[in-house]
């Protein structure tokens, strides 16, 4: 992780193939949008995802 890299505090991300994942389970997007997953209402899905 770069020293000055922006991180969304409190956001833990396990999606390794997203351009916003810094490789340490941290999200570097400036902001994120989430929605409930219809098949699993207790889970959320990041709409900011962009594949590497």
């Amino acid at each position: 992780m770069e020293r000055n890299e922006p991180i969304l505090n409190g956001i833990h991300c396990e999606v390794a193939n997203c351009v916003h994942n810094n490789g340490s389970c941290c999200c570097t997007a400036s902001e994120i949008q989430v929605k409930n997953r219809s098949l699993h209402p207790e889970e959320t899905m990041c709409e900011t995802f962009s594949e590497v």
Side-chain angles (χ1 to χ4, degrees):
M1 174 169 57
E2 293 181 23
R3 186 177 187 113
N4 295 324
E5 183 176 54
I7 293 175
L8 287 176
N9 291 320
I11 303 299
H12 175 82
C13 180
E14 297 175 354
V15 182
N17 66 332
C18 180
V19 298
H20 301 294
N21 186 309
N22 71 352
S24 298
C25 296
C26 295
C27 182
T28 61
S30 59
E31 65 182 18
I32 63 170
Q33 298 293 320
V34 295
K35 66 178 181 179
N36 286 337
R37 294 181 63 188
S38 59
L39 296 176
H40 305 280
E42 70 281 356
E43 296 180 12
T44 57
M45 182 175 178
C46 180
E47 293 185 319
T48 310
F49 170 79
S50 184
E51 191 169 1
V52 177

